[in-house]
């Protein structure tokens, strides 16, 4: 008999499991995959290089409570992510900053006068109702077309006009020379990898882990009081209102016989090739190795549900499932798939911490 059954061994499920166990609850956590960690799972490939099975994951947060919580389970490699974008044949900093503008237009702006440039191109008066206008409002049409239009189409197979503003709002426009991808105060990679961090989180006498176990198969066969579900909410309800759309990605890994392949961890390709970006893991993990592994990301529609698609009609479909979920007794949803939201790792941890807080008060 368990107090909680948690479906999904990703960061959201594991955070719930750990906090509930520390408060005396007996937890069974299951995953249909053959490994822990959900989409943050990493492993050493056949050449001994630490890679991320489900695409590059860089931890960053402004939430001290999330950073402090995870820091109990891992020391950090203090890495700050940098990205270049291949535009008009040049590798330039992304997010767009003063140097991006100078490299692209052969200008000589500084942080003091870059506003003059943006003021000439931006369209501050357009109403922002979609992911295209979110960008055009701040940097105008040309930069949008060079950096965002093609990438967004590849990533989502939708025009930016069809997506909610939050998609491109993830990428800031910089009025300075900061070339980091994220500005959060706390950034880093778990020093021994995400899988190790997650294993440490699960290492508690009141947590029992079962892998290769689909909820559908054990439902009704195991006794528990409360259920926390972190898989896709539409699957839980047997798609009764229809399928929630997700975007998937095919990851193509390649190991090369050289120490480094590119100058930064990630290079984005908004206008060339069918992949969106190439990431080289060693830049992120700090691993020293004579070879290097890169991954190319090819977005696709079939496959694992990696990205909820932020779009008004999808959100209204999700709202129906949400309503159904709220009427369930002893039933809780969290995580990127359970809440159908484009969450980063830190936010799924924060959501899970808040869910457990509310459960402990009941
Ligand atoms: P998941 O990790 O998806 O875990 C859900 C688990 O539930 C899965 O393991 C699944 O197998 C299991 N499951 C589902 N249904 C069932 C069932 N019926 N029975 C049993 N088990 C089931 N975030 C960042 O902060 N930084 C990044 O750099 C970053 N990069 C990313 C890159 C890519 C390509 C992707 C796709 C995401 C990225 N993210 C990043 C987001 C991050 O992956 C998620 O926020 C986080 O992993 C979500 O955790 P979760 O526990 O909610 O879901
Ligand atoms: N984006 C873009 N060009 C880029 C980088 C991002 O157009 O060079 C847009 C694109 O729509 C993408 C979104 O911004 O889906 C969010 O980018 P992010 O790097 O946060 O995506 P993730 O790492 O979650 O895949």
């Amino acid at each position: 008999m368990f107090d909680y059954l948690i479906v999904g061994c990703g960061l959201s499920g594991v955070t719930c499991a750990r906090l509930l166990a520390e408060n005396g609850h007996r937890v069974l956590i299951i995953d249909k995959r053959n490994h822990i960690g959900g989409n943050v799972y990493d492993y050493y490939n056949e050449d001994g290089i630490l890679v991320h099975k489900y695409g590059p994951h860089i931890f960053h947060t402004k939430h001290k409570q999330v950073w402090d919580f995870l820091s109990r389970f891992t020391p950090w490699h203090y890495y700050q992510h940098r990205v270049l974008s291949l535009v008009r044949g040049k590798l330039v900093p992304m997010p767009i900053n003063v140097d991006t503008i100078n490299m692209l237009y052969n200008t000589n702006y500084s942080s003091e006068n870059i506003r003059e440039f943006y003021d000439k191109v931006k369209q501050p008066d357009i109403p922002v109702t979609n992911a295209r206008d979110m960008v055009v409002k701040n940097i105008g049409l040309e930069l949008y077309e060079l950096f965002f239009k093609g990438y967004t189409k590849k990533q989502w197979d939708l025009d930016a006009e069809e997506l909610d503003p939050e998609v491109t709002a993830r990428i800031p426009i910089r009025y300075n020379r900061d070339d980091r991808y994220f500005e959060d105060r706390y950034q880093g990679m778990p020093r021994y990898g995400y899988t190790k961090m997650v294993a440490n989180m699960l290492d508690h006498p009141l947590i029992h882990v079962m892998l290769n176990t689909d909820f559908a198969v054990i439902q009704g066969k195991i006794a528990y009081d409360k259920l926390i579900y972190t898989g896709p909410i539409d699957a839980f309800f047997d798609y009764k209102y229809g399928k929630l759309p997700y975007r998937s990605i095919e990851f193509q890994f390649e190991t090369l016989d050289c120490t480094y392949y590119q100058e930064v961890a990630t290079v984005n390709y908004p206008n060339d090739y069918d992949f969106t970006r190439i990431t080289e893991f060693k830049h992120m993990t700090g691993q020293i190795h004579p070879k290097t592994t890169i991954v190319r990301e090819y977005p696709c529609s079939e496959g694992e549900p990696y990205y909820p698609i932020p779009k008004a009609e999808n959100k209204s479909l999700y709202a129906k499932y949400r309503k159904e979920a709220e009427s369930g007794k002893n039933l809780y949803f969290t995580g990127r798939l359970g809440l159908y939201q484009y969450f980063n790792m830190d936010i799924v941890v924060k959501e899970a911490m808040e869910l457990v807080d509310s459960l402990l008060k009941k």
Side-chain angles (χ1 to χ4, degrees):
M1 175 71 189
F2 292 96
D3 299 313
Y4 283 89
L5 170 63
I6 300 178
V7 178
C9 233
L11 270 185
S12 54
V14 172
T15 300
C16 291
R18 180 72 197 198
L19 292 172
L20 288 166
E22 286 179 355
N23 282 280
H25 296 281
R26 288 158 300 173
V27 177
L28 171 63
I29 181 165
I30 64 167
D31 205 296
K32 61 183 180 184
R33 290 173 172 166
N34 64 0
H35 59 73
I36 58 170
N39 286 346
V40 308
Y41 174 70
D42 55 13
Y43 65 100
Y44 287 88
N45 66 13
E46 56 193 16
D47 289 290
I49 297 167
L50 183 59
V51 299
H52 299 177
K53 179 165 181 175
Y54 304 99
H57 280 75
I58 303 98
F59 188 80
H60 57 100
T61 190
K62 59 181 168 44
H63 301 292
K64 181 171 164 51
Q65 73 273 32
V66 171
W67 177 257
D68 288 347
F69 173 65
L70 293 179
S71 300
R72 292 174 49 205
F73 308 102
T74 184
W76 297 96
H77 166 57
Y78 292 102
Y79 167 75
Q80 305 218 338
H81 196 46
R82 285 184 168 75
V83 175
L84 296 174
S85 185
L86 183 73
V87 169
R88 288 188 176 153
K90 284 185 187 164
L91 286 173
V92 295
M94 183 70 184
I96 294 171
N97 68 14
V98 172
D99 292 310
T100 314
I101 300 302
N102 286 338
M103 288 166 83
L104 210 59
Y105 296 112
N106 289 318
T107 47
N108 201 15
Y109 287 106
S110 67
S111 306
E112 280 67 49
N113 64 8
I114 187 68
R115 200 165 288 279
E116 291 168 20
F117 172 84
Y118 288 129
D119 282 349
K120 273 191 273 179
V121 294
K122 70 184 185 186
Q123 301 185 17
D125 299 329
I126 59 167
V128 174
T129 56
N130 59 54
R132 171 197 180 271
D133 296 344
M134 182 73 225
V135 180
V136 173
K137 183 185 178 79
N138 294 318
I139 54 173
L141 200 56
E142 181 168 84
L143 288 171
Y144 160 75
E145 287 184 344
L146 288 174
F147 287 87
F148 290 88
K149 186 178 175 174
Y151 189 107
T152 301
K153 180 75 185 168
K154 266 197 256 184
Q155 171 69 19
W156 303 96
D157 194 26
L158 291 170
D159 292 324
E161 288 86 339
E162 299 173 83
L163 289 158
D164 285 355
E166 67 186 80
V167 174
T168 46
R170 289 168 62 89
I171 314 295
I173 305 299
R174 302 249 170 81
Y175 283 63
N176 56 30
R177 299 201 129 95
D178 189 346
D179 65 346
R180 296 168 307 160
Y181 206 59
F182 309 111
E183 287 166 37
D184 292 334
R185 177 174 184 133
Y186 306 101
Q187 306 188 28
M189 305 289 289
R191 197 185 298 161
Y192 305 110
Y194 288 96
T195 307
K196 179 68 182 150
M197 176 181 82
V198 168
N200 291 341
M201 293 168 81
L202 291 171
D203 184 13
H204 188 286
L206 291 181
I207 301 179
H208 185 75
V209 183
M210 276 171 70
L211 298 176
N212 302 302
T213 304
D214 196 312
F215 175 64
V217 176
I218 63 152
Q219 198 178 7
K221 295 189 185 136
I222 283 183
Y224 57 87
D225 276 346
K226 297 189 172 96
L227 176 64
I228 298 179
Y229 196 86
T230 75
I233 189 168
D234 55 339
F236 180 86
F237 291 111
D238 221 4
Y239 310 105
K240 65 190 283 190
Y241 301 114
K243 278 199 160 183
L244 281 167
Y246 294 93
R247 192 73 174 145
S248 197
I249 298 194
E250 191 196 317
F251 300 104
Q252 280 191 9
F253 292 85
E254 189 179 358
T255 297
L256 303 156
D257 213 352
C258 54
T259 39
Y260 282 101
Y261 170 77
Q262 57 192 26
E263 63 184 274
V264 290
T266 299
V267 175
N268 288 356
Y269 292 82
N271 308 308
D272 303 275
Y273 309 108
D274 295 332
F275 48 83
T276 47
R277 56 189 176 191
I278 299 182
T279 297
E280 183 170 16
F281 293 100
K282 277 170 49 184
H283 282 292
M284 293 164 20
T285 58
Q287 189 180 359
I288 311 280
H289 195 289
K291 293 187 183 182
T292 193
T293 302
I294 58 171
V295 62
R296 295 184 178 84
E297 296 179 47
Y298 292 87
C300 52
S301 49
E302 298 303 318
E304 293 279 311
Y306 294 133
Y307 289 85
I309 303 178
K311 221 180 141 174
E313 65 192 72
N314 302 346
K315 286 179 183 166
S316 7
L317 178 54
Y318 165 71
K320 291 187 185 165
Y321 285 113
R322 181 79 208 158
K323 202 159 167 234
E324 184 94 15
E326 277 161 7
S327 61
K329 205 167 162 284
N330 292 333
L331 171 64
Y332 307 92
F333 289 84
T334 192
R336 179 145 146 152
L337 304 168
L339 299 176
Y340 195 68
Q341 285 201 55
Y342 190 175
F343 282 152
N344 287 330
M345 289 181 274
D346 63 324
I347 305 302
V348 304
V349 171
K350 185 166 171 286
E351 288 283 332
M353 292 170 86
E354 286 166 5
L355 172 61
V356 172
D357 268 351
S358 71
L359 291 171
L360 293 176
K361 281 187 197 128
K362 282 196 178 183

